[in-house]
Amino acid sequence: MVTEELPMSAGLDTLLGIQIVEASGDRVVLRWRVEPPLHQPFGILHGGVHCAAVESAASMGAALWFGERGNIVGVSNHTDFLRAVSDGLLTAVAEPIHRGRSQQLWLVNITDEQDRLVARGQVRVQNLTSPT
């Protein structure tokens, strides 16, 4: 359930099949199905898909929290791949670690259908205030 209007397009997310399950300034949940078009040459999910999901989840939450004060822009994405995945449904959950005047830091955990952690990322975003 989307609890607030999202101030961004879903271009890449749409291409990857990533769906918004829940979105607020305190928590974002995304879900997608792993299928062969998302595989790397060895038949497992391409790490870039994890990175994209981590970036999208954190950016959505950060933008919703920052709201009318301005825009946000990602400045760092560090994603670790912990378990290979070839198929199934994955869920990314993003929650803030720190939300300050000029930057935010978000943690995103990606789990499989058995609730096993398959990837984990941190995204730092810069808060860009609008001129008043």
Side-chain angles (χ1 to χ4, degrees):
M1 170 178 173
V2 177
T3 56
E4 300 179 41
E5 186 177 331
L6 297 173
M8 57 203 58
S9 75
L12 180 60
D13 294 340
T14 299
L15 288 173
L16 298 175
I18 295 174
Q19 299 177 335
I20 302 166
V21 176
E22 174 186 336
S24 75
D26 294 316
R27 177 180 156 98
V28 173
V29 179
L30 305 179
R31 194 164 287 140
W32 72 98
R33 182 154 303 283
V34 177
E35 296 178 330
L38 301 180
H39 288 176
Q40 45 93 304
F42 300 106
I44 60 175
L45 182 63
H46 191 288
V49 178
H50 286 303
C51 293
V54 165
E55 182 85 18
S56 291
S59 294
M60 282 181 204
L64 288 168
W65 179 77
F66 202 55
E68 296 297 318
R69 290 175 278 180
N71 296 312
I72 59 95
V73 62
V75 295
S76 176
N77 178 336
H78 182 97
T79 302
D80 293 305
F81 316 121
L82 306 170
R83 179 184 296 272
V85 178
S86 295
D87 58 19
L89 195 62
L90 295 183
T91 302
V93 177
E95 295 178 324
I97 296 172
H98 170 77
R99 294 185 289 201
R101 182 178 44 81
S102 61
Q103 291 191 344
Q104 300 178 54
L105 183 63
W106 284 71
L107 175 66
V108 183
N109 288 314
I110 299 175
T111 55
D112 64 12
E113 292 172 283
Q114 290 76 44
D115 204 31
R116 296 177 296 191
L117 189 62
V118 299
R120 178 181 176 182
Q122 281 191 178
V123 174
R124 181 173 298 280
V125 300
Q126 185 75 36
N127 299 330
L128 303 173
T129 55
S130 297
T132 55

